[in-house]
């Protein structure tokens, strides 16, 4: 009797890529919550969780010593493709929904996403070459890793306790632009040790907990397409009206 052929799939499906898939699922889930339910607190949690998964997927992958070259290259490509969504499109859209709008806001979102893609493509070229020549983990980054936005953005949201809504939106514009620039700026950044990484993750967990407990995001209406300058002017006029007692 002929043996029945089992279903075959392209790709690799061992434990070395599970965290990468989980990171992607978390970010896509966060996107749907932000768009459909305006649940920004949960979206921030999903972003931070994706970052935690990405921080450990390389360490987990390197525990498998008998990986073939195809498996290694697949892991490199898969990680970057997922990162485009998790740490490129997701944070850009989240910031847009929270007020990075208008011509300037859109330009910054486009710039950020483009820088993320450039960095990830450049990383793929360098990492594939380095794996063949050196193997193992790399000790430094060239430029700011895209994963960093999953830690930076939740920390930035703490500023809501210290400033007005309009000032917070200005900060979001600046942070998104600066982080995007640092993605492609060529400088050496030492990778954190496991202890340093755990400290960063602990700080982010505390931050997300505070966001869940106290933060109330005031987001612009979906039809509001005004840029940050128009929002600042409107805020000043509203403030002036309140001071003088003029009707709003």
């Amino acid at each position: 009797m002929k043996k029945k052929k089992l279903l075959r799939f392209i790709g690799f499906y061992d434990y070395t890529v599970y965290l990468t898939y989980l990171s992607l699922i978390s970010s896509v889930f966060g996107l749907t919550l932000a768009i459909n339910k305006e649940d920004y607190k949960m979206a921030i949690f999903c972003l931070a969780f994706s970052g935690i998964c990405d921080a450990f997927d390389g360490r987990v992958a390197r525990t498998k010593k008998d990986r073939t070259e195809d498996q290694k290259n697949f892991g490199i490509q898969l990680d970057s493709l997922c990162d485009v969504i998790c740490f490129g499109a997701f944070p850009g859209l989240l910031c847009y929904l929270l007020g990075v709008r208008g011509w300037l806001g859109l330009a910054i979102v486009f710039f950020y996403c483009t820088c993320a893609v450039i960095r990830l493509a450049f990383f793929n070229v360098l990492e594939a070459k380095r794996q063949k020549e050196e193997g193992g983990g790399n000790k430094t980054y060239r430029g700011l890793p895209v994963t960093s936005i999953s830690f930076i953005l939740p920390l930035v949201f703490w500023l809501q306790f210290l400033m007005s809504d309009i000032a917070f939106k200005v900060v979001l514009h600046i942070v998104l632009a600066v982080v995007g620039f640092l993605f492609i700026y060529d400088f050496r950044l030492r990778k954190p040790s496991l202890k340093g990484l755990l400290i960063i993750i602990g700080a982010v967990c505390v931050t997300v907990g505070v966001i869940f407990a106290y933060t109330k995001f005031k987001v612009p209406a979906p039809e509001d397409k005004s840029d940050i300058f128009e929002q600042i002017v409107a805020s000043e006029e509203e403030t002036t009206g309140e001071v003088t007692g003029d009707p709003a």
Side-chain angles (χ1 to χ4, degrees):
M1 289 180 65
K2 290 184 178 181
K3 291 184 178 180
K4 291 184 178 180
K5 289 185 178 180
L6 297 175
L7 291 174
R8 298 182 63 183
F9 302 94
I10 60 173
F12 299 94
Y13 300 92
D14 54 42
Y15 74 90
T16 62
V17 294
Y18 290 165
L19 281 179
T20 305
Y21 290 135
L22 187 59
S23 174
L24 174 65
I25 292 169
S26 176
S27 287
V28 173
F29 182 57
L31 273 170
T32 62
L33 291 175
I35 294 172
N36 295 324
K37 295 188 176 182
E38 296 186 356
D39 189 349
Y40 301 107
K41 292 183 179 182
M42 195 63 192
I44 293 167
F45 169 80
C46 289
L47 176 62
F49 183 73
S50 291
I52 293 172
C53 290
D54 190 82
F56 289 102
D57 61 358
R59 294 174 184 268
V60 171
R62 286 190 292 275
T63 63
K64 186 176 175 61
K65 302 301 182 182
D66 59 345
R67 285 189 300 165
T68 65
E69 287 301 314
D70 285 343
Q71 287 176 312
K72 290 179 181 178
N73 289 330
F74 177 79
I76 293 170
Q77 300 297 328
L78 178 68
D79 186 63
S80 288
L81 288 171
C82 291
D83 286 355
V84 169
I85 297 173
C86 298
F87 313 117
F90 184 19
L93 179 61
L94 186 57
C95 287
Y96 171 81
L97 293 172
L98 289 172
V100 184
R101 299 188 179 186
W103 65 269
L104 178 61
L106 282 176
I108 291 175
V109 170
F110 295 157
F111 173 75
Y112 171 85
C113 291
T114 302
C115 290
V117 171
I118 291 171
R119 175 182 171 75
L120 290 167
F122 188 67
F123 167 82
N124 280 11
V125 173
L126 290 184
E127 185 64 12
K129 180 180 178 181
R130 191 191 67 80
Q131 287 280 2
K132 291 180 181 179
E133 296 176 353
E134 303 174 16
N138 199 2
K139 294 183 178 180
T140 60
Y141 297 110
R142 287 185 66 179
L144 190 69
V146 293
T147 315
S148 60
I149 192 66
S150 66
F151 303 133
I152 292 172
L153 209 52
L155 292 172
V156 168
F157 288 148
W158 265 28
L159 295 176
Q160 282 197 317
F161 302 113
L162 306 175
M163 56 182 60
S164 65
D165 294 336
I166 193 66
F168 176 70
K169 290 179 185 178
V170 172
V171 170
L172 276 183
H173 281 71
I174 295 171
V175 168
L176 204 63
V178 170
V179 171
F181 172 77
L182 291 177
F183 284 165
I184 59 174
Y185 182 67
D186 194 1
F187 69 99
R188 293 284 180 177
L189 179 65
R190 186 173 181 80
K191 286 188 174 181
S193 63
L194 180 59
K195 181 180 179 180
L197 186 60
L198 292 175
I199 291 173
I200 293 172
I201 290 173
V204 172
C205 289
V206 171
T207 298
V208 173
V210 172
I211 289 172
F212 262 89
Y214 299 108
T215 305
K216 293 183 179 180
F217 291 114
K218 296 179 181 178
V219 298
E223 64 274 7
D224 183 8
K225 308 299 181 185
S226 60
D227 60 47
I228 191 63
F229 299 115
E230 293 171 339
Q231 293 176 35
I232 291 172
V233 171
S235 177
E236 289 179 348
E237 290 177 349
E238 182 179 343
T239 302
T240 303
E242 290 177 355
V243 172
T244 59
D246 294 336

